[in-house]
Amino acid sequence: MHWPWEQAKESLSEELEAHLQMSIAERVADGEDPAQARAAALRELGNVPLIEDVTRERWGWIWLENILHDTRYALRQLRRAPAFTATALLTLAFGIGANLGVFRLLYAVILAELPIPHPEEVVRIHAARTPFDQSWTISYPAYQRLRAATPDVPLMATAYIVEDAKLELPNRASINASCTPVSDNYFSVLGVTPAAGRLFIQADASQAQGEWPAVLRYDFARNTFGSAGQAVGQHMLLNGRSFVVIGVAHRRFLGDITGHAPDIWLPLELQSTGAFSFSWDSLGPGHDVSLDKPWYNQPTIFWLALTARVPPERRAAVLAHWDQVFRNDREVMTEATADPAVKTALLHVKTGVAPLSENGMRKRFTVPLTILMALSASIFLVGCLNLANLQLARLHAREHELSVRMALGASRGRLIRQVVLEDALLLAGGSLCAFVLGRAASGILVRWVSNRNALFTLDLHPNLPLAALGAGLMLLSLLCFSILPAVIAIRTGVGQTAGSRAKVAGISQTARQRLRSNVLLGTQVSLSLLLSTMSACFAATLVHWETVDVGMDREHVLIVRPELHQPRYTDHSEMLPELYSLIQDRLQALPGVRSAAVEMCGGIHCGWITALYVHGRNNLTDAQVHGQEDHVGIGFFHTLGIPILRGRDFSSSDTDKAQRVAIINRAYARQLFGDADPIGQLVGYEPALNDHKFLIVGEVADAHVNGAEREAPPVVYMSINQSPAPVNSIRVRAVGDPRQLSDSVRHALYEVDPALPVSEIVPLATELDGDLGTEKLLARLAGVYASLTLLLVAIGFYGVMSSRTTRRKSEFGIRLALGATRGHIQRLIIGQTARILLAGILPGAILSILAVRAASHFLYGSVSANSLAIIAASVVLAIAGSIATIIPARRAAFADPLETLRSE
Amino acid sequence: MTEATKYQNRIDLLQGTLDMLVLQALLREPMHGYAIAQVIRSRSGEVFTVETGSLYPALHRLERQKWVKSEWKLTESKQRAKFYQITALGKKQLTADHRRWLELVRAIGAVMEPEVQP
């Protein structure tokens, strides 16, 4: 291919050639000898390349040509220094990529607003906290009353997300889908538009036909049906009920709770089918609640969260009006407590609003993500400093070439431009890698941060702030590692050394230049010490939570999840104790099994909030009576490795005909009885008159059943045999590695009941570790960063020291000739590294101490443990720096002095 | 100031005049560069020798300003050459240049030979 100016250039040459030919022809015609004529014509024509140059300048686009020229030159230069090019590309890719990746996550979790019109108008309505879960949910009748009271204010209700509904499609294996039941006006309140089909309308709520309507999330529709359009009109079974897809929500709409995007939206009214188990709260046992019946006319089942679109200026009036309407419901709620203080407080609560952004995700991740953003910024800075230093060293090495070019008339601007262009090319390449890397990184980060079971779904589409950050980082890095070094080098270096070859004893590198590169290296050392320390602390924290004593035998317990929520079992719950006993016997007969037991809870974070009132004591506050409840089978404590402190375990004599018994843990016992012996005390779910249903027969040690990093809650355990119900897990304690038991356990259960499906078998350790999303994210990413900066620092030392030793080659030659030993030379160079390391490590340590203090909330470990991390990181850094220096030092020391001096 | 800019200034001084001479040479018929140099030299009575180093930059500049346009053609002696032709814009420019030149000559004359003035 020919550039247009190549053509123009050829044309110009041809024009001048024609001129020459005509001149010769005329001279020959005048009778001159052809050879002489040619010589004379050429003399007359003058310096052809110069004429071409000057002529071309008249064209006005010479600059473009120059840039292309410079680009080609730059590419050649980069190819000639592959190590530098690779380092620069990698540094930029990681430095910018890491920032983009983390920022994308940060933006999606913390900064992004819902992709709806006027998101600031949409607020959560907090009417009252439910008695036990303390969640802001209300009953269906209350919702209808509030909605009717203010017909002009869009008010919608949502139930909690149902994580694992079973979705069956014709001719396909069933999958798990998460569903959110919403009121008919959900999409219209938010202002969400459909990507295909239609969204819910009022008629959908009252439909009593065979098929329920469903709206799908865009990506879910695409993954399941191929496209949004194809999804519409599809029929499917959800938990055995038939549904038809009426529409698909807008592409960017992922639900109203950040991170928890449901796959399917369903009408609230399908609660009446009883096919889905929703999260709920009520006034507690003894109050009139029929969970099996439809909830829409039960004012004491609290299950709906409210969201409304109210402009800020109308809020006060609307809320006051709702307060009046809600007054009755609030009075109903006070029945749940015997604590007069709580009762009064409940009645005085005013309905309030909270922004949508005030959610668990934001609360949980703001600080960790900010820490990560700061770490990412530091790694970017380290990368830039490193490149700046390498660049200075590189320019220094090219000093001679540059000064010759300047002497030949190259303008300073052109030289700077060439150098900057080289870096711009690097930057372009690096940024391209960075964008790809950043994209991949945010996906990986989301996976790291998510819990084992629930992957967060976040909107990670590129957005304007992200692009701005990317562009800003690119410019900043260009300025840092390219423009400034080039300006510095050309201002100070080139002019002074032009033409001079007197390079003995390091004259060519002034003290200022050395100081500058030392400061750059030292800063890198400080920052990477910071990153390494943080990484060590986060890693130690993760290890701590992964190995801390949780009050249970975490390494040997297997959680088996059977599917007992089927009519076969639920309709004959009186048969369940026998089944449990069969299962337990069969499992305990397996080789390698120490014991087995059933438990209502399926995993961690599962016990439900309850209240225990003590017979004969009426002065207990809500804070004392509230705790967590779980129903377990015989041998549960032995299976989990929870020690029984006083009294006894449940036994086979605790049947539904005998005295109801309970076992409480130390935390609950302390809450209710202080240090007194709880054995023999009578307790009940309700205050006086109904406060003696259970006899406490045992006290067990505390266990961290809500996750390793959370406090051990107060728990009361009841016997599953006294109130038979389907359990969610069977726990098996193994002698050795529990993983190896999976197959035999599955097989044994099949033998006991071939019709009983087992959905999952996981070790308790996995379940507990899966809960450490934040800790894992911090530890892993900080680890990646720390190793990257170590690498960068090593490269930095290697690069700078190599260039220095090369420059001082003749000096070393003279020293060796004068009697210095090779050891002297090596010590000289390594001494420099040692001073830089020391100068970097001291401020780095101070920085680390401050950072550790700032992040202390996420760190487990004492001050001394963290100082140990600082010392360890310093040692690792020092080793990395020294190794990187030894190579050029040895090269310098073992060079032949004669050879070196001769080459001068 | 670098060498390059000094050189540039020297051309600039000549430029106005040279442009005018070139445009004038082209007024009658299209010509190639060599012919333009010859015409200027012969018409000036062999006084002006237009250097190629000045001529071609001037021609290309004139072309860029759309005062002349060019075309590759064969000469009578079958030599391929680039012929320049004055444009309407060029003619206007020539008139302006010519007027300015006459004024300049008159002014210089008035300074150099004051006794001729009435």
Side-chain angles (χ1 to χ4, degrees):
Chain A
M1 194 192 103
H2 275 283
W3 299 103
W5 49 84
E6 295 292 344
Q7 235 168 354
K9 247 165 144 177
E10 275 167 27
S11 161
L12 178 59
S13 299
E14 200 184 339
E15 191 176 1
L16 290 174
E17 179 64 25
H19 185 104
L20 184 66
Q21 291 306 330
M22 285 186 275
S23 174
I24 296 171
E26 202 172 278
R27 274 162 215 271
V28 172
D30 285 351
E32 268 185 62
D33 172 64
Q36 270 181 0
R38 186 175 173 77
L42 272 173
R43 221 171 14 251
E44 195 189 81
L45 192 59
N47 183 347
V48 176
L50 184 67
I51 298 172
E52 285 185 357
D53 265 1
V54 175
T55 309
R56 280 211 312 274
E57 268 176 43
R58 310 288 117 182
W59 293 346
W61 27 267
I62 193 88
W63 57 272
L64 188 64
E65 199 191 334
N66 280 346
I67 282 189
L68 271 147
H69 220 98
D70 290 350
T71 310
R72 232 176 309 161
Y73 177 74
L75 282 174
R76 208 160 52 226
Q77 286 288 338
L78 290 178
R79 263 205 309 275
R80 271 176 45 192
F84 173 78
T85 309
T87 308
L89 279 178
L90 279 180
T91 308
L92 289 171
F94 276 103
I96 298 179
N99 277 283
L100 291 182
V102 173
F103 182 76
R104 203 190 279 259
L105 197 62
L106 182 99
Y107 185 84
V109 173
I110 299 170
L111 302 174
E113 298 243 39
L114 281 192
I116 55 171
H118 298 288
E120 73 287 351
E121 283 181 4
V122 179
V123 283
R124 302 259 182 246
I125 303 300
H126 287 174
R129 280 189 192 275
T130 60
F132 293 92
D133 295 346
Q134 299 289 303
S135 64
W136 297 104
T137 50
I138 65 166
S139 69
Y140 192 87
Y143 165 57
Q144 290 299 349
R145 265 198 298 283
L146 290 176
R147 196 170 155 183
T150 49
D152 55 330
V153 178
L155 178 67
M156 71 188 202
T158 47
Y160 281 107
I161 194 163
V162 178
E163 286 291 353
D164 42 8
K166 195 165 138 204
L167 173 67
E168 290 168 278
L169 291 163
N171 310 323
R172 274 202 248 181
S174 68
I175 53 172
N176 275 352
S178 55
C179 312
T180 299
V182 298
S183 55
D184 59 85
N185 57 355
Y186 178 77
F187 293 105
S188 62
V189 169
L190 292 176
V192 176
T193 51
R198 66 168 179 89
L199 303 174
F200 292 131
I201 52 170
Q202 205 167 2
D204 290 323
S206 50
Q207 255 168 353
Q209 80 291 56
E211 276 191 325
W212 289 95
V215 172
L216 305 189
R217 181 163 57 85
Y218 185 85
D219 282 332
F220 180 75
R222 250 189 25 180
N223 296 340
T224 316
F225 297 105
S227 79
Q230 278 172 331
V232 178
Q234 296 275 356
H235 301 272
M236 57 191 191
L237 286 181
L238 258 182
N239 280 3
R241 310 288 152 152
S242 46
F243 284 83
V244 60
V245 178
I246 58 163
V248 175
H250 188 267
R251 236 181 109 202
R252 302 287 297 276
F253 183 70
L254 303 178
D256 57 317
I257 303 173
T258 312
H260 302 281
D263 299 323
I264 308 173
W265 287 278
L266 306 168
L268 280 183
E269 288 68 21
L270 63 73
Q271 185 283 321
S272 60
T273 64
F276 297 84
S277 50
F278 297 154
S279 189
W280 57 279
D281 197 5
S282 185
L283 300 177
H287 290 87
D288 186 24
V289 163
S290 324
L291 286 176
D292 304 335
K293 297 207 179 100
W295 295 359
Y296 61 80
N297 52 8
Q298 300 194 55
T300 52
I301 300 183
F302 312 122
W303 59 298
L304 295 176
L306 298 184
T307 308
R309 188 182 273 279
V310 211
E313 64 275 12
R314 285 197 58 197
R315 268 175 210 162
V318 170
L319 290 178
H321 187 48
W322 280 341
D323 249 342
Q324 279 184 339
V325 179
F326 196 68
R327 174 139 197 99
N328 244 340
D329 296 272
R330 209 163 262 148
E331 269 165 19
V332 169
M333 279 183 158
T334 58
E335 289 173 23
T337 175
D339 190 333
V342 176
K343 268 186 205 282
T344 339
L346 245 176
L347 284 176
H348 283 88
V349 170
K350 291 268 173 258
T351 303
V353 297
L356 287 189
S357 56
E358 220 175 72
N359 55 43
M361 281 287 270
R362 194 169 293 202
K363 215 185 270 167
R364 203 171 136 203
F365 289 113
T366 301
V367 180
L369 283 176
T370 314
I371 292 176
L372 283 184
M373 204 67 228
L375 294 185
S376 310
S378 348
I379 194 167
F380 172 75
L381 204 59
V382 172
C384 278
L385 290 176
N386 191 36
L387 285 184
N389 222 350
L390 290 182
Q391 183 78 333
L392 274 173
R394 202 163 152 257
L395 287 176
H396 226 81
R398 283 173 65 185
E399 215 163 58
H400 185 65
E401 173 214 330
L402 291 178
S403 51
V404 168
R405 284 172 59 193
M406 254 173 94
L408 287 179
S411 69
R412 197 168 271 179
R414 182 90 190 260
L415 284 186
I416 293 183
R417 198 170 73 197
Q418 278 184 354
V419 173
V420 169
L421 195 69
E422 254 177 69
D423 303 329
L425 280 177
L426 276 181
L427 187 66
S431 306
L432 200 71
C433 300
F435 274 98
V436 175
L437 197 79
R439 215 186 148 69
S442 21
I444 295 171
L445 294 181
V446 170
R447 207 154 310 144
W448 282 354
V449 83
S450 297
N451 290 342
R452 196 178 64 82
N453 292 320
L455 200 63
F456 292 133
T457 314
L458 295 167
D459 181 8
L460 296 176
H461 284 92
N463 47 50
L464 196 64
L466 187 77
L469 180 76
L473 290 178
M474 278 165 67
L475 283 181
L476 200 64
S477 54
L478 188 68
L479 187 75
C480 263
F481 89 88
S482 165
I483 298 177
L484 288 182
V487 169
I488 289 171
I490 288 174
R491 278 266 166 78
T492 59
V494 180
Q496 291 160 12
T497 53
S500 153
R501 289 292 279 155
K503 293 199 169 196
V504 180
I507 290 171
S508 69
Q509 195 175 28
T510 62
R512 233 173 87 200
Q513 284 166 329
R514 256 202 318 275
L515 181 68
R516 192 181 301 130
S517 78
N518 286 355
V519 167
L520 285 177
L521 263 180
T523 317
Q524 280 180 65
V525 171
S526 304
L527 285 174
S528 67
L529 180 64
L530 169 72
L531 282 165
S532 307
T533 306
M534 294 309 276
S535 143
C537 289
F538 287 133
T541 306
L542 181 62
V543 169
H544 167 79
W545 292 126
E546 281 178 348
T547 53
V548 71
D549 179 15
V550 288
M552 301 179 272
D553 186 0
R554 68 190 294 162
E555 294 307 325
H556 296 106
V557 174
L558 205 58
I559 304 176
V560 182
R561 301 210 170 97
E563 286 288 347
L564 282 160
H565 290 275
Q566 302 178 52
R568 284 189 58 218
Y569 304 104
T570 47
D571 293 350
H572 310 280
S573 56
E574 71 285 352
M575 309 287 286
L576 285 172
E578 202 190 326
L579 177 67
Y580 296 154
S581 160
L582 277 174
I583 289 175
Q584 186 178 28
D585 289 346
R586 182 69 190 83
L587 288 179
Q588 285 179 348
L590 287 176
V593 171
R594 272 169 81 172
S595 74
V598 294
E599 184 191 6
M600 188 72 113
C601 275
I604 54 174
H605 307 286
C606 145
W608 55 100
I609 309 288
T610 191
L612 279 189
Y613 294 88
V614 179
H615 183 56
R617 287 175 58 193
N618 298 326
N619 55 350
L620 294 172
T621 63
D622 269 15
Q624 282 177 291
V625 300
H626 282 183
Q628 230 166 285
E629 182 175 341
D630 193 3
H631 292 187
V632 301
I634 299 165
F636 172 78
F637 302 108
H638 177 56
T639 305
L640 266 287
I642 300 173
I644 295 176
L645 303 176
R646 286 191 248 217
R648 64 167 176 93
D649 188 4
F650 296 122
S651 74
S652 48
S653 57
D654 298 323
T655 60
D656 51 350
K657 295 179 185 67
Q659 161 72 44
R660 299 280 168 137
V661 291
I663 294 175
I664 61 176
N665 73 353
R666 187 81 271 278
Y668 218 155
R670 194 180 306 117
Q671 217 169 277
L672 290 171
F673 309 105
D675 288 326
D677 187 352
I679 309 296
Q681 298 274 3
L682 287 171
V683 292
Y685 289 131
E686 292 163 70
L689 298 184
N690 283 320
D691 60 359
H692 53 272
K693 189 173 172 193
F694 298 94
L695 175 71
I696 297 179
V697 294
E699 181 191 331
V700 294
D702 293 339
H704 294 258
V705 293
N706 288 348
E709 77 286 18
R710 282 163 228 248
E711 291 283 307
V715 188
V716 58
Y717 300 92
M718 310 289 186
S719 168
I720 189 100
N721 293 342
Q722 291 189 322
S723 46
V727 294
N728 290 302
S729 72
I730 304 168
R731 310 275 173 134
V732 181
R733 190 177 185 188
V735 177
D737 182 3
R739 258 167 273 255
Q740 288 166 356
L741 283 179
S742 298
D743 289 335
S744 52
V745 165
R746 209 179 273 272
H747 191 73
L749 286 175
Y750 182 80
E751 280 176 7
V752 174
D753 183 355
L756 178 63
V758 174
S759 60
E760 197 180 22
I761 299 185
V762 281
L764 177 61
T766 310
E767 178 94 358
L768 285 167
D769 296 348
D771 199 41
L772 299 168
T774 323
E775 289 79 4
K776 248 182 241 174
L777 176 75
L778 285 171
R780 289 187 185 163
L781 204 58
V784 171
Y785 285 177
S787 21
L788 268 177
T789 56
L790 268 184
L791 187 68
L792 285 180
V793 167
I795 291 175
F797 271 108
Y798 177 79
V800 169
M801 289 305 163
S802 298
S803 108
R804 261 185 217 180
T805 48
T806 316
R807 218 189 327 279
R808 290 174 71 183
K809 223 154 123 191
S810 41
E811 176 205 336
F812 292 148
I814 292 172
R815 279 177 190 257
L816 284 169
L818 291 179
T821 62
R822 304 198 187 281
H824 275 128
I825 304 289
Q826 289 194 39
R827 270 200 296 282
L828 198 74
I829 301 166
I830 293 179
Q832 275 192 9
T833 300
R835 277 197 296 278
I836 299 171
L837 279 170
L838 202 66
I841 283 174
L842 284 179
I846 297 171
L847 212 59
S848 304
I849 291 171
L850 293 177
V852 167
R853 200 164 287 173
S856 60
H857 183 58
F858 291 89
L859 294 177
Y860 181 85
S862 55
V863 178
S864 64
N866 291 332
S867 351
L868 201 68
I870 296 179
I871 292 167
S874 314
V875 170
V876 172
L877 256 175
I879 292 173
S882 309
I883 289 176
T885 314
I886 282 175
I887 304 166
R890 283 184 72 84
R891 199 164 35 199
F894 284 86
D896 183 354
L898 275 181
E899 201 60 43
T900 318
L901 290 177
R902 198 178 296 137
S903 72
E904 267 302 294
Chain B
M1 192 186 291
T2 62
E3 289 299 316
T5 37
K6 268 185 229 159
Y7 188 57
Q8 204 114 23
N9 283 354
R10 204 172 62 201
I11 298 169
D12 286 344
L13 284 176
L14 290 172
Q15 216 159 36
T17 326
L18 183 60
D19 286 359
M20 184 176 71
L21 296 181
V22 170
L23 289 174
Q24 179 67 39
L26 289 175
L27 202 53
R28 213 178 307 151
E29 56 176 343
M31 268 187 253
H32 48 72
Y34 183 72
I36 296 171
Q38 297 302 335
V39 163
I40 293 176
R41 194 167 67 184
S42 66
R43 280 197 205 157
S44 70
E46 310 286 318
V47 173
F48 293 150
T49 315
V50 184
E51 279 175 41
T52 1
S54 306
L55 177 65
Y56 283 97
L59 277 171
H60 282 250
R61 203 178 70 88
L62 292 178
E63 186 172 12
R64 194 169 162 241
Q65 275 165 327
K66 304 240 187 302
W67 293 342
V68 299
K69 56 186 181 187
S70 70
E71 187 180 9
W72 282 90
K73 278 198 291 201
L74 286 183
T75 62
E76 286 159 14
S77 55
K78 305 289 176 219
Q79 165 74 44
R80 225 169 91 80
K82 200 172 179 187
F83 280 76
Y84 292 88
Q85 187 185 351
I86 190 162
T87 62
L89 211 60
K91 285 180 187 158
K92 212 189 269 173
Q93 180 66 25
L94 178 60
T95 320
D97 279 354
H98 195 182
R99 191 180 306 126
R100 218 181 41 175
W101 172 253
L102 288 177
E103 265 170 35
L104 189 68
V105 168
R106 195 180 53 79
I108 292 176
V111 174
M112 300 307 288
E113 296 163 49
E115 66 274 16
V116 177
Q117 289 294 316

